[in-house]
Amino acid sequence: MKHLFIYEWKLLLRNRAMVTAWLLLPVIGLYALYYGESFTNTQLKTIHTIDTAYQARVQTQLNNFTADTSTKEGKTKYRNAHDPFQNEWQTRPMAWKQPAGLQAFSIGQSDNQPFYYSLWVYNNVYNVKQVELTNPDKLMAGNFDLAFVFIYLLPLLIIAFTYNIASTDVENGTAGLLSTQGISLHSILVGRLLFRAGLIVASISVLSIAGALLNNVQPGAAISWWLISLLYTAFWFGLAYLFVARKNTGAVTALQLVSVWVVLLIVVPSLLNSRQKTDDKAWLEVADAARDYSTQLRELSKARLADTLFQVEPTWKERFQQKRDTTTLRSVAYAYFAMQNMNRIGRRIDSAALAQQRRIERYQWVNPSFAIQLLYNKLAGTELSSFIAFRKALSDYQLQRTERLSLRRMAGESIDRATYAAYPVFVQPAPGLAASDWVWTAAALIIYVVVCALAGRYYWKRL
Amino acid sequence: MILSTIIRNEWRNLFRTGISGLLWGMLAILAVFTIWQAAAKTRDVQEKLQASQSYMRDKFTGQGEVNPHNAVHYGHYVFKPLNTLSVLDNGVNDYTGVSLYLEGHRQNEATFAPAQGSSSITRFGQLSLSLVLQILLPLFIIFTCHNAITKEREGQTLSLTVLQAVSMRRLVWGKVLAYTVLWTAFLTICLGILWLFTNGGAAPVSPVRLGGLWLLYTSYYFIVTAVCVLVSSVSKSSGNALLALLFGWLLCTVLLPKITANVGENAAPLLTRIELEERISTDKKNGIDGHNPSSERTQLFRDSLIKTYQVSSLDSLPVNLDGLLMQADEEYNNVVFDKHYGTIQQSIEQQRNATSISSWVNPFAFVRNLSMAMAGTDVYHHFDFTDKAEDYRRTIIKKMNDIQAYGGSKTGDWDWRVPADFWNKIDDFNYTTPAASFALQHNKMELAALAAWLLLVILLIQTGTNKLPVIK
C-alpha cells in the first residue's frame, strides 16, 4: 500500500489538472472563509454601533440620577431618570444576536433574519415593521460560505478525483500488467480511493483549522465541524466507490455520479422545500393585534381599564395608586397586554415553523446534503431553530422587563440609580448540537457508506 | 442528404435507446408535477391574499366615526397579488414580503417574506418549472448532445456521411435543429399544460408574457444545444466533450450566479437599517414636524398660512391648522423618503448589474433574469408594487389630513370625527402588473447578451464547422 501511495503521489504531481483541482479547493475555501468573515464583520460592526449608542444612553441615564437640580434642564434630567417610563424611553434598550464564530463558516439563515431588536415597551419582537435592508436577488442567489463549498463543491471534487480510477487502467491497457504485480486490482482501487480521500481530508482540515483560528472558534465547535465534514466526505467516497466498482467507462461513471449529485443537491432538497407551507396570514394577526388593541383601549374609561388590568394581573391591585391618570393606564395596558397577546400569536407561528423544520428533518435519509447543512447551521447558530430560540428568549426578557416597568407605573413608584444599574441583562441562548441532531444524521450517513461499500464490493466481484 | 433527413435520422437515433426515453419520461413527470404543485400553491396563496385584502379593506372602511388622525396612525394593509406566471418562475417572491403596512409619518417596507419563516432548506431553491427548464433540461441536453459528432467520428460514420456530399456545416445545423425542435416541443407542451392548469384563475396569464417566455426558452435551448454540438465537434472523444460540458454547466448554473451576486454585493453594499434611519432622521429634523408645533419650519409654515388666509391670528383660520400641519409634515417626509429609498433601490440595481454583466459569458444569467422579469416576479416588479403602494399611502393619508383640515373641525379639536361613510369614499388599492415592455426595459443588457449569444453560435456554425476535421 505504501508503494501505491508513493506511486499515486508521483502520478498526482505529474497530472496538472488534478493538482489544480486539488489546490482549487483550499483557494475557493479561503475565499469562502473571507466572504463569511466579511458578512459576520458587517453584523459585528452594526452591533458595535448599536452597543456603543446604547451604552452611552445608559451612562447618560446613570449620570442623570445625580443631575444638578438647581437648573431647569437638570431638574428635567433628574425627573426623567427617576420616572421609570421616561427612563425606559431615554434608554431605549436594545438586544442583539451575537454571531458565533462558526457563523463565518455557515451563514445559513442569518442573512435572512433580524439580528437586533429594540426592546422599547411599545415594540414587539414578533411585530417588527422595520427590518434590515436586503437585496432579494442576493438572498435568492445565496452565500458563498464554507458550508456551500463543502456541501456543493466538495462532492464534485471527489467525483473529479475518482470517476476514472478503475477505468483508466482498462482504457490505457495497463490493467493486465497491474494484475501481475501481486496485488489485486480491487486493492489498487481501494488504495487509490484512500489516497484521494487523504488529499481531500487534508484540504478540509487545513480550511477548518484556518477558519477556526481566524474566527476564534471554540475547539469543541471546530472539532464538531470537522467531524461533520468527514462524515459527508466519507458518504461521497462511498458513493464514488459504488459507481466506480461497476466498471463502466470513466465518462459513464462521471455521468452517473453527476446525476446522483443533481438528485441529492438539487432535486431532493428543492422538492422537499416546495412542499413547505408558510402561514403569511398568521403574521398579520400579530400586526393586527397590536393596532386593534390600541383602538379598543382608547374607548375604555379609567375604571373599566383598571378593572381589565386587575382581572388579568390581580396582584397589581394591591399596589395600584388611584391617582394614576387614564393615559398611563392605557399605556401600561397597551405595553404589557398587547405584548403578551403578540407574543402568544408569534410563538404559535414559531412553533408551527419549528414543527415544519422537524418534518423536513425526518427526510434526512433521502436528503443527506440538507442533513449536513442543518448540522453545520445548528452548530453555527444560524438555523431557523436557533433564531426562534433566540427570539423566544428575547421576548421573555422583554416581557419581564415590561412587567417590572408596568408594575412600577401602576404603583407610581420611582426608580433609583442602584435599581437601574442592577437591571438584568439579556442572555442569549448558546448555539450547539443536541445528541439527537447528531445521532440520526451520523447513523444515516454511516449506514449509507457501509451499504455503498458492500454493494460496491458485490459489483466488483460480479462484473 | 437534405436537412430534414439529418433531423429525422437524429430523432430516430435518440428514441432508439431506452435510457433516453427514461430521461424524457422523468423530465416530463417532473415538469407536470412542478406545474401542478405550483398552480395549486399559487391558487391557494392568491385566495389567501384576496381574503386578507378584503378583510383589511373591511376593517378600513368599517372604522366608523373616528378622528382622521387616529386613522392615520391606525393605518391600512395592502397585499402584493401573486402573478399567475409565478407558477413557472417564482423569482424573488420567497424573499420579498407580501404585505405592506401603510401609516402616517413613515414609509414601511413589505414584510413577512415566506423564506424568513423557513428552515435553511429554502436556500436550496424550490423544485419549480423554472428549475426544470433552466437547469435540468440543459443538463439533459448535455447528456443527449455531448456525443452528437464524436459518436459519429468514433463509429466512423462521419466520413461516410461526408462522402454523401453532406458538409459538416449542414450536419451540425441538422443536429442542432433536430434537438432544438424537440426541446421546443417539450417547452410548448409544458407551457400549454401551465395554461390549462391556471386558466380560469383569479389573475389570467398574459399571452404576451407567456409568448415572451416561449421565445426566451427556445432561444436558450438553441444556444445550449449549439454549444453542446460545437463542443462535441471539436472534442477528441465523447468522454472529453461530456466532462467539458458538465464543467461548463456547473460553472454557469451553480458557481457563477453565486459569485456574481456576492461580487455585486461587495461592489455596492447596502446601507444598514440603522444608517438609513439616521439619515432619514437627520433630514426629517429640518422639516415640519406635525406633532411638534415649536419647530422652526412649523413656525414659518404657520406664518405663511396667516398671510395666505389674510387673518390676524391662527385662531381666526377658517381651517383646522392641525390637518394642514400634518399634511405639510407628510409632504416634506415624502421628499426625504424618495431620496433615501431611491438610493436603496439604486444600490440593489447596481448589485444586480453584476449578474446582468455576467450574461455576456453565462447564458444561464440572462435566461434567469429575463424569465423572472417576464413572469413578473423579479426585483423590479417588486419595486413597482412597493412604489405604487407608497403612492396609495400618500393618497389616503392626504385624504385623511385634508378632511381634518377642511372638513369643518377646529384646530386642536382631536375629538372631532369623520362620518362613518367617509371611508367608503376612499378607493381600494388595486395593483396591476405592468405591461411586458416594463420587464424588457429593465433587462436591456440581458436582451443584448441573448442576441449576442444567438449571433455567436450562428456565426460559429456558419463559419467554423466546415473546417473541422472528419477524422481525429
Side-chain angles (χ1 to χ4, degrees), chain A residues 151-415:
Chain A
I151 290 171
Y152 278 80
L153 306 186
L154 190 71
L156 292 172
L157 186 68
I158 294 171
I159 294 170
F161 266 29
T162 55
Y163 76 97
N164 62 353
I165 51 170
S167 63
T168 190
D169 294 323
V170 178
E171 283 159 14
N172 294 337
T174 51
L177 201 64
L178 279 171
S179 56
T180 62
Q181 301 294 311
I183 181 168
S184 72
L185 285 177
H186 184 259
S187 301
I188 294 173
L189 171 70
V190 172
R192 281 178 177 162
L193 272 176
L194 288 176
F195 175 76
R196 284 157 173 78
L199 293 178
I200 301 272
V201 170
S203 294
I204 288 173
S205 307
V206 167
L207 282 170
S208 301
I209 293 168
L213 292 174
L214 281 171
N215 294 285
N216 293 323
V217 178
Q218 296 294 314
I223 291 168
S224 299
W225 170 276
W226 185 71
L227 286 174
I228 295 166
S229 308
L230 288 193
L231 203 59
Y232 191 57
T233 308
F235 169 70
W236 276 99
F237 268 101
L239 279 175
Y241 172 69
L242 172 65
F243 284 94
V244 166
R246 290 170 63 89
K247 297 180 185 171
N248 286 312
T249 61
V252 170
T253 308
L255 194 71
Q256 289 169 339
L257 283 168
V258 170
S259 302
V260 173
W261 183 91
V262 170
V263 169
L264 292 184
L265 271 300
I266 297 179
V267 178
V268 173
S270 60
L271 176 67
L272 288 172
N273 181 28
S274 48
R275 303 297 295 163
Q276 284 205 110
K277 281 184 180 170
T278 50
D279 193 358
D280 308 320
K281 223 176 155 186
W283 283 113
L284 278 178
E285 273 186 64
V286 181
D288 217 17
R291 57 182 200 152
D292 278 353
Y293 205 72
S294 162
T295 314
Q296 286 163 19
L297 289 174
R298 209 182 297 134
E299 304 300 325
L300 291 180
S301 66
K302 184 182 170 183
R304 284 284 305 279
L305 258 172
D307 280 350
T308 313
L309 285 170
F310 301 146
Q311 265 176 24
V312 188
E313 283 290 345
T315 51
W316 285 9
K317 197 170 185 178
E318 297 157 21
R319 289 172 67 180
F320 177 59
Q321 209 182 50
Q322 285 297 337
K323 66 179 182 186
R324 303 309 290 162
D325 58 284
T326 316
T327 311
T328 304
L329 286 183
R330 265 191 205 129
S331 169
V332 166
Y334 180 77
Y336 188 53
F337 295 118
M339 189 177 289
Q340 282 186 324
N341 212 10
M342 283 187 269
N343 285 356
R344 187 176 46 77
I345 305 169
R347 283 176 189 188
R348 195 190 73 214
I349 298 167
D350 276 353
S351 297
L354 273 181
Q356 183 142 264
Q357 182 180 319
R358 277 194 287 272
R359 269 198 299 278
I360 298 281
E361 283 179 38
R362 272 187 227 144
Y363 292 97
Q364 58 191 331
W365 288 86
V366 290
N367 196 11
S369 312
F370 176 62
I372 292 293
Q373 178 79 69
L374 261 180
L375 288 185
Y376 279 156
N377 288 351
K378 284 181 180 177
L379 195 61
T382 57
E383 189 46 64
L384 176 75
S385 48
S386 318
F387 172 72
I388 286 176
F390 160 74
R391 184 154 63 181
K392 185 182 175 299
L394 199 58
S395 78
D396 284 343
Y397 174 74
Q398 188 187 22
L399 192 66
Q400 182 198 24
R401 201 173 165 120
T402 307
E403 188 179 9
R404 284 169 178 234
L405 175 69
S406 302
L407 189 55
R408 274 213 174 81
R409 293 179 74 195
M410 292 289 286
E413 289 172 5
S414 64
I415 182 175

Side-chain angles (χ1 to χ4, degrees), chain A residues 113 130 135 276 287 292 383, chain B residues 59 77 108 116 118 120 273:
Chain A
Q113 303 287 8
Q130 301 290 330
N135 175 0
Q276 284 205 110
D292 278 353
E383 189 46 64
Chain B
K59 290 194 90 165
Y77 274 93
N108 294 318
Q116 275 191 339
S118 169
S120 55
R273 164 63 59 189

